[in-house]
Amino acid sequence: MSVSNTAAAPSAAPAAARRRSAPLVRDAVPADYPAIRRVIIAAYRQYGDLIARDIFSPYLADVLDLDKHARHGRLLVVEADGRIRGFGAFYPDASVQGFGWPAGWASGRALAVHPDARGHGVARALLAVCERLARDCGAPVFAFHTASFMTGAIALYERLGYRRAPEFDFDMAARYSRFGAAPIMSIAYVRQLAPERAACA
């Protein structure tokens, strides 16, 4: 079942071409898991040389733990041109992530866009659906973390108007490394929402 079909803005391109390229956000099913993992690995591979392996490997394993995300949240994929090009987990209760988010807030986790699909509205479509789901749950805030070395993602979130919440930052090295590595910050972003109704399962 589709969660949202994010329509492209009107243009001179033929309608059929617009339909092919418009991101479609839907709930994931288990058959999507291999494609989701391929998207996550492709999206995160570029960071493997930026931080120590003993931090990056458990961090990536945590992001790839789809069963854990599904137990606590809702898995969403973004299709474009008939292929899964993006993924994110929506958590109706942010506090279950263990990152210090207040109970009652909603959050996102493991956002990934395939490098070949960047710049085509995939992340924007996914975040819009997550915000809508958060409002439907009655959450006052939609929140998520990104890593300090993910400069492209940080630029996107700031363009989209998300606000930094440094009181919820945490040290990825302390969380994932066993060897007392230098701090690597996971930085928090939030958006205040206007809840519509409390209808979240």
Side-chain angles (χ1 to χ4, degrees):
M1 181 181 71
S2 295
V3 176
S4 171
N5 189 0
T6 305
S11 72
R18 290 201 303 272
R19 280 196 300 272
R20 284 195 302 271
S21 61
L24 171 70
V25 182
R26 63 169 175 82
D27 288 295
V29 297
D32 295 323
Y33 283 18
I36 291 170
R37 290 190 174 100
R38 286 193 294 271
V39 167
I40 292 172
I41 290 168
Y44 283 71
R45 183 183 294 125
Q46 65 184 301
Y47 307 118
D49 294 330
L50 299 181
I51 60 176
R53 182 176 296 277
D54 73 295
I55 301 171
F56 181 74
S57 294
Y59 168 61
L60 183 60
D62 188 19
V63 172
L64 286 165
D65 191 347
L66 303 183
D67 292 331
K68 179 183 72 176
H69 298 321
R71 282 196 304 274
H72 298 294
R74 183 171 176 176
L75 307 187
L76 303 172
V77 294
V78 188
E79 290 186 347
D81 298 327
R83 302 171 65 190
I84 291 175
R85 311 307 278 162
F87 166 75
F90 170 76
Y91 281 67
D93 179 3
S95 66
V96 302
Q97 291 193 40
F99 295 146
W101 298 125
W105 286 16
S107 62
R109 180 87 171 103
L111 175 67
V113 175
H114 195 283
D116 294 344
R118 289 174 185 161
H120 297 284
V122 172
R124 185 186 297 262
L126 181 58
L127 289 166
V129 169
C130 286
E131 287 186 23
R132 196 196 77 204
L133 293 172
R135 289 189 182 95
D136 287 349
C137 290
V141 174
F142 175 66
F144 54 87
H145 286 95
T146 193
S148 57
F149 50 81
M150 295 182 177
T151 54
I154 290 168
L156 171 66
Y157 301 144
E158 294 187 351
R159 283 198 305 274
L160 294 178
Y162 288 96
R163 181 178 62 80
R164 281 280 288 115
E167 64 272 28
F168 297 107
D169 292 355
F170 69 89
D171 180 8
M172 291 176 59
R175 185 178 182 91
Y176 293 110
S177 174
R178 296 171 296 168
F179 303 111
I184 300 172
M185 297 311 296
S186 185
I187 60 178
Y189 281 89
V190 299
R191 172 162 284 156
Q192 301 289 328
L193 303 174
E196 295 175 355
R197 62 184 184 279
C200 209

